[in-house]
Amino acid sequence: MARARSLSEFQTSFPDETSCAVFLFERRWPQGFVCPACGAGRAAFLRSRAHTYECLDCGRQTSITAGTVMHRSKLPLTVWFWAAHLMATHSNGMSAVQLEAQLGVTYKTAWLLAQKLRRSMIDPHRAPLEGVVEVDQAEIPFRADNSFFDPVKSGKILIAGAVEVIDRGTNQAKPRRKRAKYLDTRSGRIRLAAIPDNSAASIEAFVRANVKAGTTLLTDGHRSYPGLTDYRHDPRTVGKMAGHIVLPWIHRAFALMKRWGLGTYHGLRRKHIDTYLNEFVFRYNRRFYRHVSFETMLGLVSHHHPTSYWEIVGRDNPRKGEPTVRRGPRRRRTATGMRADGSRPPEKLEPIPVSDLTRQP
């Protein structure tokens, strides 16, 4: 269901909330419900709370969206699924204005929805680039305010990029002797990141964070690269020659990124630049199989903590840290009735079959 290629197939697979909830349950617990607190497998479906199960051993209530990009969201599951499908399959991405028109939500909701989906695209434990890698830097224009965007008068952001060079015949990266030409190749995975300056410290930090040690680096001969002694450096002096002649694949990635930023977003902003670069990297690395990245968009595959609104905008939650004054212990509706927080459920409860857990009311 997650690999539906056409929009009609996707609509057939996820027509309502029930089908989305069943899909999430099967992806999170393929062998049956497992309590994240005690590891028990007995649970009851709560009709008083949407898509929530209560462990019959410890009383922990767990939502099927907990720990995903949909964590604590009030939006329907169908809206999340549609947004993830549109952003994963659209070749040029989706701006917040486009999501607003397609999903029928407000602009603020569409913006937060897109920001959360972008942050779930990149797995923090992804494998670094290896084999033969082209590395270079480029400048892209950015928007300073909400006025008409003029690339000539805009500011510049310095971007560092790296791309794997793959042989078309063997479909692998094969290092060659120094100064040899890499003909009949194609681009593999890429990495992009904003760097503060063109210094050796900034470039070395980018390379070490994204490229595996021992990799052959194809560069333009910048003086910052010889400091990377644990890499095999193969410089290509550009001189008066155009940069895309000696380093074709990284310059092609830069050209696509610039056109994407200007065409889809009418200029990127400095504040969230790394998030947008990660979105471009995610889509570029999956350009041949975009439809299989749907589960990654929903945060079912990536291993990072869900991002809140206050973390995205970079401000402190004004209500965080304020103690809640209660006259009595809080009471929660459970599978066995109302119960105070911290109290254990009754011991004499029958386990519920796994087939009943995926059956929605």
Side-chain angles (χ1 to χ4, degrees), residues 49-63:
R49 301 184 65 185
H51 319 303
T52 304
Y53 297 87
E54 180 181 344
C55 178
L56 298 180
D57 290 332
C58 68
R60 169 75 175 268
Q61 294 183 358
T62 305
S63 172

Side-chain angles (χ1 to χ4, degrees), residues 84-224:
H85 177 75
L86 290 174
M87 292 190 66
T89 57
H90 203 281
S91 59
N92 294 326
M94 297 287 292
S95 65
V97 175
Q98 292 173 305
L99 282 180
E100 176 189 7
Q102 294 290 334
L103 302 178
V105 296
T106 64
Y107 175 79
K108 291 183 178 180
T109 301
W111 181 86
L112 183 59
L113 186 65
Q115 288 289 347
K116 287 189 174 184
L117 288 174
R118 289 189 189 101
R119 282 163 171 76
S120 67
M121 291 179 177
I122 300 301
D123 189 347
H125 305 294
R126 58 185 177 179
L129 306 182
E130 56 184 345
V132 182
V133 177
E134 289 184 4
V135 184
D136 203 1
Q137 305 88 40
E139 289 184 342
I140 62 173
F142 73 92
R143 296 185 62 176
D145 50 34
N146 294 325
S147 60
F148 177 76
F149 178 68
D150 186 359
V152 178
K153 300 179 181 179
S154 63
K156 300 293 183 180
I157 302 177
L158 189 60
I159 303 296
V163 57
E164 291 177 332
V165 180
I166 307 297
D167 286 344
R168 292 185 181 273
T170 61
N171 203 29
Q172 294 180 352
K174 183 180 179 181
R176 305 177 185 180
R177 61 180 178 83
K178 288 191 174 183
R179 292 181 292 278
K181 295 183 178 180
Y182 284 83
L183 303 177
D184 194 23
T185 59
R186 66 172 181 85
S187 61
R189 299 176 298 161
I190 68 171
R191 297 287 188 269
L192 297 173
I195 55 178
D197 48 42
N198 229 353
S199 64
S202 299
I203 296 178
E204 288 184 10
F206 168 78
V207 173
R208 296 187 186 279
N210 296 278
V211 183
K212 185 178 180 180
T215 299
T216 299
L217 301 180
L218 304 180
T219 71
D220 57 359
H222 193 278
R223 59 184 180 182
S224 300

Side-chain angles (χ1 to χ4, degrees), residues 221-234:
H222 193 278
R223 59 184 180 182
S224 300
Y225 296 105
L228 299 168
T229 56
D230 48 346
Y231 293 86
R232 181 173 178 262
H233 188 209
D234 189 0

Side-chain angles (χ1 to χ4, degrees), residues 319 321-327:
R319 291 180 290 182
E322 295 183 1
T324 302
V325 180
R326 300 184 185 277
R327 295 184 177 181

